[in-house]
Structures are given as structure tokens and as C-alpha cells.
Amino acid sequence: MSAVPLSPLLRRVPPGAWTAAAWCAGTVFTFLIRMRLPGENMPSFQAGVLFYRWDGRAELMTATVLTLIGSGLLRRRPLTALVLLLAGSVLGTLPLSVGAIPVPQFLSVDVALWFIAATGRRRTSRTAAGLALATLAAYLAFRLLCGWIIGTSTELAVAMTAAIAWLIGNSTHQAREHAEDMRAQAATQAVTTERLRIARELHDAVAHNIGIVALQAGAARRVIDTQPTRARDALKAVETSSRETLSGLRRMLGALRQAESEAAPLHDLPGLADLDRLAEATTVAGVRVDVRWRGEPRPLPPEVDLSAFRIIQEAVTNVVRHADTRSCVVSIDRREEELTVEVVDGGRGHGATPGTGYGLLGMRERVTLLHGDFSAGPLPEGGFRVTVRLPLPMDVT
């Protein structure tokens, strides 16, 4: 398992600074509790024989040097640094003439354990915890072999502080790992959503015009020998629809090549204002589209305007391809809180179960993204109806 990136606090302050500060604080505390402080009749702890002697001071100085060196290596070589910190804690304990390594001499090790568990690899973290506990056990074992008194309860308390420091660091590590996983999932989901959006736009932009092209080409083929004028008109419609399709594809591909900040805004894409042109092109192809407006005209959010147009375009395309009818009715009801769209035809149905096919699926996806309602299905008396309700924000003016 790889290492987890440092938090902002650890990037600003080197981890070695925290271990060095913990050692200095522990050393100061060790001296203070061996002095008679104000309000005390006697010191809390009696100073050992070596505490004020030159050899005891030398051991304390050596322990300090080892701790500072280990602090400097903590980020680059954590296990080496921990070994030096453990050696410093043992040397710093010897002049105290106590039966166990006290908590103040182990504070820097606790801080290092937290840092290694929070940022290091899992194996490194577990090795560090094992080294710390082994050092505590080895100190007691050495004193027992020498026939000296040991402080078992004190050492158990120190071991608890080491375990707690490691657990807190490990929890920090797991929390950051989870956050990284969530960010990765969000990025993957964003890519998938964008791919679906592109696929939906390509389908909606191309399917209608290709359907018109196929219909007009078939009509031209049937009458090219008997009615050249109608065939010429149909081929002209084929040319127009083909050019519009190519133009739309160029715009979309151009937007995809741009950076996200430079991509074409939604208001550059088609909307309900282009509905008359859609109806005219479909009528020329042989299916009359009757557009009925209700409610007062009002500006729509770009995403609602685009989705409403694409849904109508796809529904009309399905009528042209599958309904076997010569007309359909598109109703748009503009209200204060919602936009309702209904496309009804009187044909023989679309030959598909409601909710299946890329066309109906794309319409449903668009409506779901806008928190609206979608329904599509055959009518009892014949024909097919698509109904969409899109909520509108109240601050749209």
C-alpha cells in the first residue's frame, strides 16, 4: 500500500520539528518534577545518583543529539529515525535511575509513531509500532537480568501511549485513504457522466437529421423517374439536412477540443426558439408537426431550454421513424414553476416497450438530471405519447 500524502499542517511544519519539540518538552518536565516547585514541600521525584553528575549529563546530551538527528531523518527515513529516537529515549532514561522508561522520555517516540502511521506505508507503520513496544519490553528484560527493580505499571502506561499514538495515526491514514478513494470515484463518475452527455448530444443532434435524410432519400428514389420535380425537392432537403448535421458535428467536436473553461456555453446550443425550424424541416420530410404554445413566454435556464428542445427533437424523430403517421402534436405549457412538454401522435405506436432504446433512455436521463418527471407509452386509442415535466427555479426572470 502506498504512502498517503501529507496533510497541510504537516507540509507547513516538518514532522521532525514536532518530535524535537516533544523531546525538549519532556526533558524540561523531567527537570521540573525533580525540583521543589512553589507550593511543594519536596520534589515529586527524587533525582537519581547520575542525574547531576557529569556522566549523567553526558548521557542526556547524547540522547538529545540522537533525538535531533532522528528528527531530521523522520520524513526521509522513518524507521532509521525511529531507531535513533528510541535510542535517545533509553539513554535519556539511564541517568534518572528509574525502573521504566517514563512518558516524558517517550513523547518524541509517540509523535514519530503517529507520523509514521499517518503517512507511511502499512508495513512500515506496523514495523515502527513493533520496534517501540519491543524497546519497552527489552528495557524491562535487561533490568530483570541485572536483578534490578522494574516499573511494570509505568511501562504498561507508556506502552498504552504508544498504542494510542499509533491508532490515531492509523485512523488518520485510513481517513485520508478514504478521502482519496472518494475523490477518485468522483473523478471517474465525472468522466462517465461527461461521456454519457457527449453520447446523448451526438445521438440527439444526429438522429433527427439522419432520419429526415433517410425519409427524403427514399421519397426521391421512388419518384425520380415519374416526378423529377418532387425528387429534386427531396434531394434538396437531403442536402440541407446533411449540411446541418455536419455543421452541428463540427461545432460539437470543436467544443470538445477546447479546454473546459473555453467550451461553448449552453446558450450557444439549440433551444425552444429553434422549434419552428425543426417543425418546418420535419413537415417537409412528410410528417406535419403542429406546435401549440400555452402560457406566457418567459426566459428559461439554458440547461432546461436545451433539454426541452432535445426531448422534442427525439420524440419527433421517433414519430418519423416508427409511428407510420403523417402528423403529430407538440404542446409546450410554460408555467411559473415548471415547463411541461407533450408530444402525441396518432400512428401505430413506436414498436418498443416504453423506457427501452437509446432515444427514450436519453430523454429519461435528461429529465432525471433536471429532477423532472418523464413518461412515455402507447395510448389506448392508438398512437404514442411522450410527457415531460421540468421544474423551473423561481428566480428565473
Side-chain angles (χ1 to χ4, degrees):
M1 183 174 295
S2 60
V4 177
L6 295 176
S7 65
L9 179 62
L10 291 179
R11 284 197 296 267
R12 289 195 299 267
V13 180
W18 295 107
T19 55
W23 173 261
C24 293
T27 302
V28 170
F29 180 76
T30 298
F31 275 91
L32 288 177
I33 62 176
R34 284 165 173 77
M35 299 169 57
R36 188 171 66 84
L37 299 177
E40 295 181 341
N41 294 326
M42 57 183 300
S44 300
F45 290 87
Q46 295 296 325
V49 177
L50 302 177
F51 191 68
Y52 292 111
R53 282 174 33 175
W54 69 269
D55 47 353
R57 296 293 178 87
E59 289 174 344
L60 284 175
M61 289 297 299
T62 303
T64 301
V65 171
L66 290 175
T67 300
L68 294 179
I69 294 174
S71 298
L73 295 175
L74 184 57
R75 177 172 288 177
R76 292 177 286 116
R77 301 175 63 183
L79 289 182
T80 301
L82 183 66
V83 169
L84 293 174
L85 292 174
L86 289 170
S89 69
V90 173
L91 280 177
T93 302
L94 294 179
L96 305 181
S97 301
V98 292
I101 299 176
V103 172
Q105 274 58 54
F106 216 71
L107 277 179
S108 60
V109 175
D110 290 340
V111 174
L113 282 176
W114 173 83
F115 173 79
I116 295 172
T119 63
R121 300 175 184 274
R122 187 62 56 84
R123 180 180 296 179
T124 303
S125 170
R126 291 173 177 172
T127 302
L131 284 174
L133 296 179
T135 300
L136 295 175
Y139 185 84
L140 294 184
F142 177 79
R143 289 186 64 87
L144 281 176
L145 290 175
C146 294
W148 299 336
I149 297 175
I150 62 172
T152 305
S153 58
T154 300
E155 208 74 320
L156 288 176
V158 175
M160 286 180 59
T161 64
I164 291 172
W166 185 88
L167 289 173
I168 294 174
N170 189 58
S171 297
T172 304
H173 184 104
Q174 291 177 342
R176 274 203 298 276
E177 274 189 339
H178 179 69
E180 289 293 326
D181 290 342
M182 293 300 294
R183 280 194 287 269
Q185 291 178 12
T188 302
Q189 182 61 39
V191 171
T192 302
T193 302
E194 183 65 11
R195 290 177 60 186
L196 291 175
R197 185 190 70 82
I198 294 170
R200 190 164 50 241
E201 284 297 324
L202 285 172
H203 176 275
D204 294 345
V206 174
H208 176 77
N209 286 337
I210 294 300
I212 298 298
V213 166
L215 194 64
Q216 292 286 16
R221 180 181 57 81
R222 287 191 296 270
V223 301
I224 192 169
D225 294 326
T226 58
Q227 301 179 47
T229 302
R230 286 189 57 189
R232 188 181 302 110
D233 292 340
L235 291 175
K236 181 179 180 181
V238 168
E239 180 185 8
T240 302
S241 296
S242 300
R243 291 183 183 277
E244 289 180 354
T245 302
L246 288 174
S247 177
L249 286 174
R250 289 192 188 99
R251 286 197 303 270
M252 184 170 296
L253 293 175
L256 291 175
R257 289 192 182 100
Q258 296 174 0
E260 183 177 353
S261 59
E262 300 173 354
L266 287 177
H267 61 255
D268 290 340
L269 297 173
L272 292 179
D274 301 293
L275 195 54
D276 291 338
R277 181 172 57 84
L278 173 68
E280 181 182 354
T282 308
T283 301
V284 170
V287 177
R288 182 172 57 85
V289 178
D290 184 10
V291 181
R292 300 176 182 177
W293 297 90
R294 300 189 184 97
E296 295 295 327
R298 56 177 299 194
L300 297 173
E303 63 275 10
V304 174
D305 198 23
L306 171 64
S307 294
F309 176 82
R310 291 302 193 197
I311 289 168
I312 294 172
Q313 184 184 51
E314 180 58 32
V316 171
T317 299
N318 288 341
V319 173
V320 172
R321 288 179 171 180
H322 310 296
D324 192 19
T325 183
R326 293 297 180 183
S327 65
C328 68
V329 177
V330 177
S331 303
I332 301 100
D333 190 359
R334 297 166 293 193
R335 303 175 186 175
E336 287 293 325
E337 298 181 356
E338 64 183 21
L339 176 73
T340 304
V341 173
E342 185 180 74
V343 181
V344 180
D345 67 77
R348 59 178 176 83
H350 294 182
T353 303
T356 63
Y358 289 115
L360 294 177
L361 179 61
M363 287 189 276
R364 188 181 299 277
E365 286 176 349
R366 286 186 181 275
V367 174
T368 301
L369 288 174
L370 295 175
H371 307 288
D373 297 322
F374 173 82
S375 64
L379 298 172
E381 63 275 12
F384 200 86
R385 177 170 60 194
V386 173
T387 305
V388 171
R389 185 192 66 83
L390 299 175
L392 298 177
M394 297 301 295
D395 58 347
V396 176
T397 58

